[in-house]
Amino acid sequence: MAEIKIIDSIMGSGKTSWAIQYMNEASAAEKFIYITPFLTEVERVKISVTDRNFIEPNNANAEKRKMRSLKDLIVKGADIVSTHSLFQAADDELVELLTDAGYTLILDEVMDVIEPVNVNASDIKKLESSGDIEIEGNKVTWKGDPHDDSRYRDIRVLAQAGNLFYHRGKFLIWSFPPRVFRAFENVKVLTYLFDGQLQRYYYDMFKFNYEYSAVKREGDRFELTDYDKQAERRDEVYRLIDLYEGKLNEVGKRNNALSSTYLRRADVGVLKQLRNNLYNYFMNIAGVKKEQMYWSTLKEIERSITPKGYRNRAIPVNARATNEYREVEAIAYVFNRYPNPHERAFFEDNGVSVNVEALAVSDLLQWIWRSRIREGQAIKLYLPSSRMRKLLREWAEYGI
């Protein structure tokens, strides 16, 4: 089984710089697959790893598919750099090619390793009663036509790959195939607050062993060191955040206010209040123009609460794969982050506890880091959820 090392260091500590240094200094016999959410980081790796020729998969092949290109590059033993989206499409053939191929995987940021599958409970029962699927424990196996091309094709493909689970008699969950990680000799995951991320629970569920390290800078070099959250200087980061405290927070004073469920049920009055609060904050309190801000909320209500004069500046509440806003000085997070209940139930029913607080603050910090704080500059933050403000403070005091 692969040796998995979690490089858990605060944003800006030099995780990617360490990885580039590591690949530049590695033996010529070692081969790498570097997976990142950033297209810009794909180019950075290709340019910065000067002793190797990293190749990005493309669709210039008979199948016109990047996955075919990825597989061909593995056969050639090439050093490969690509994005999460391609890697998540891994199948049995890819696993077979990776097994004993001697690759080291460097995963820049965690991936989406599980997702609820959009299928009705009645369709699941229909497939089971017709004999097309068989459910043993919670594992779904495809027993029907191996080439079925009906509206259940997606279910067939996932089940045939062994990545489909039936849960609580209601829904199906897709899981990234764990044997992909087992096919590598070494896996290095570059992230922060791994304890609060779904990939950690996924590793625990599938019984992966992993160990933690951190990155520190020593002059012009980046070195791995023992993981110690007390060495992160969180107080220095927190001092760069001008966290709004005032009447505009009244809308989020209840502990569960601004959660997904709360926002979906919000009446016209609440939505209007949120819209007015955002306008007031950006225009009168932060005093910024459109180009100097971004904000986030539940996608379903985004249009309803977009403040006048600040259109097209909303980003996803879980944004972590963009550097586009690195000059922004004022931000607003109108959301109270809880795990997807299906995902949480899936892990907990399989004996894995989910750290709800760590998950929330992990996503929040990654979201905040899209701003100019990543450049060491102060920012203004409107965080109306009382729970999210509390969690941010607890993080700053090493309570999370």
Side-chain angles (χ1 to χ4, degrees), residues 57-95:
N58 58 61
N59 56 13
N61 54 70
E63 296 181 17
K64 300 190 182 302
R65 295 174 62 236
K66 287 187 178 182
M67 179 55 72
R68 173 47 55 197
S69 175
L70 173 60
K71 293 172 180 177
D72 291 344
L73 290 170
I74 291 170
V75 170
K76 294 176 182 176
D79 289 305
I80 302 163
V81 58
S82 188
T83 59
H84 283 189
S85 57
L86 177 60
F87 194 61
Q88 284 173 303
D91 58 14
D92 287 345
E93 184 182 4
L94 184 68
V95 173

Side-chain angles (χ1 to χ4, degrees), residues 37-54:
F38 298 94
L39 285 173
T40 52
E41 291 298 291
V42 168
E43 293 305 314
R44 179 182 175 187
V45 168
K46 288 163 69 175
I47 293 169
S48 300
V49 184
T50 55
D51 290 343
R52 294 172 180 270
N53 180 29
F54 269 87

Side-chain angles (χ1 to χ4, degrees), residues 61-329:
N61 54 70
E63 296 181 17
K64 300 190 182 302
R65 295 174 62 236
K66 287 187 178 182
M67 179 55 72
R68 173 47 55 197
S69 175
L70 173 60
K71 293 172 180 177
D72 291 344
L73 290 170
I74 291 170
V75 170
K76 294 176 182 176
D79 289 305
I80 302 163
V81 58
S82 188
T83 59
H84 283 189
S85 57
L86 177 60
F87 194 61
Q88 284 173 303
D91 58 14
D92 287 345
E93 184 182 4
L94 184 68
V95 173
E96 185 177 344
L97 291 172
L98 285 171
T99 301
D100 298 325
Y103 272 97
T104 291
L105 170 67
I106 299 183
L107 190 59
D108 190 350
E109 272 307 335
V110 294
M111 301 193 311
D112 292 330
V113 287
I114 68 164
E115 290 180 4
V117 178
N118 187 21
V119 59
N120 294 327
S122 59
D123 285 334
I124 299 172
K125 292 296 185 184
K126 178 181 177 182
L127 287 168
E128 187 177 17
S129 62
S130 67
D132 286 315
I133 63 172
E134 183 177 276
I135 300 172
E136 297 180 14
N138 64 348
K139 182 83 175 285
V140 179
T141 305
W142 184 264
K143 295 293 186 178
D145 179 356
H147 306 291
D148 182 282
D149 203 29
S150 69
R151 65 191 179 97
Y152 300 116
R153 180 181 182 278
D154 289 347
I155 302 300
R156 171 181 66 79
V157 171
L158 293 173
Q160 286 176 325
N163 307 335
L164 203 57
F165 298 86
Y166 185 48
H167 195 59
R168 293 192 177 183
K170 295 179 181 179
F171 52 86
L172 295 172
I173 292 270
W174 166 84
S175 167
F176 183 77
R179 60 190 182 282
V180 175
F181 287 110
R182 295 190 177 105
F184 288 95
E185 290 196 358
N186 293 286
V187 176
K188 304 184 189 302
V189 182
L190 315 179
T191 190
Y192 181 55
L193 287 184
F194 188 66
D195 279 354
Q197 296 171 6
L198 294 184
Q199 191 167 327
R200 183 264 170 96
Y201 311 131
Y202 166 92
Y203 278 172
D204 289 348
M205 175 179 163
F206 287 108
K207 311 300 182 186
F208 283 98
N209 295 318
Y210 51 89
E211 61 180 33
Y212 288 84
S213 291
V215 171
K216 67 175 180 179
R217 185 165 186 165
E218 298 281 0
D220 293 333
R221 291 187 56 78
F222 296 88
E223 305 292 347
L224 290 188
T225 185
D226 293 339
Y227 174 74
D228 177 12
K229 69 180 183 180
Q230 298 292 333
E232 291 176 358
R233 298 180 179 177
R234 296 180 182 183
D235 55 330
E236 294 181 11
V237 174
Y238 191 68
R239 281 199 296 270
L240 292 174
I241 302 174
D242 181 4
L243 183 61
Y244 172 80
E245 298 287 358
K247 291 183 178 180
L248 300 185
N249 286 336
E250 286 293 309
V251 71
K253 64 182 179 181
R254 285 170 45 190
N255 195 59
N256 70 335
L258 307 180
S259 66
S260 294
T261 301
Y262 179 97
L263 291 172
R264 288 189 184 104
R265 296 174 179 174
D267 60 27
V268 174
V270 171
L271 297 178
K272 181 180 179 180
Q273 184 67 61
L274 291 171
R275 183 172 64 249
N276 290 342
N277 284 4
L278 284 167
Y279 178 83
N280 193 2
Y281 178 74
F282 287 124
M283 177 61 71
N284 301 318
I285 296 171
V288 293
K289 297 179 180 179
K290 179 178 175 179
E291 308 78 47
Q292 300 169 308
M293 53 77 73
Y294 65 74
W295 68 285
S296 292
T297 191
L298 183 68
K299 184 68 176 176
E300 295 165 43
I301 69 153
E302 182 183 296
R303 190 172 180 179
S304 300
I305 69 170
T306 298
K308 184 178 180 181
Y310 293 98
R311 297 188 183 282
N312 302 317
R313 296 297 291 179
I315 69 174
V317 293
N318 60 349
R320 61 173 66 210
T322 178
N323 292 321
E324 184 179 347
Y325 303 95
R326 63 191 310 152
E327 296 180 358
V328 163
E329 64 176 279

